[in-house]
Amino acid sequence: AATSGSLDPSINGRVTGIPNSRHLNWFAVFDKTSHRLQAPAALQKTLASVVDDTARPVVTWCQSGTR
């Protein structure tokens, strides 16, 4: 699988990804009440759900070009 996240082909006709990547929706790093970035401790917890090796680089990638 290209990603471990769900990629909806109805939104993006080109459903591909970076091999062995992990998927985290961009809005997951925002606080649901304030709509600002999460506090550092909460952000670390959110990122830990997909990042298992903090020594490896993190790459951001937009699948559709809309963001």
Side-chain angles (χ1 to χ4, degrees):
T3 64
S4 62
S6 173
L7 299 176
D8 183 353
S10 70
I11 295 171
N12 179 19
R14 184 174 176 249
V15 181
T16 62
I18 299 171
N20 301 314
S21 67
R22 308 268 173 78
H23 179 74
L24 178 68
N25 281 318
W26 63 274
F27 54 80
V29 299
F30 290 95
D31 179 85
K32 290 174 180 44
T33 304
S34 69
H35 307 289
R36 295 179 182 212
L37 281 175
Q38 294 175 341
L43 186 57
Q44 284 181 328
K45 185 176 179 180
T46 298
L47 295 175
S49 71
V50 293
V51 176
D52 57 355
D53 182 357
T54 58
R56 294 181 61 185
V58 173
V59 176
T60 58
W61 175 67
C62 176
Q63 66 176 358
S64 65
T66 60
R67 294 186 276 283

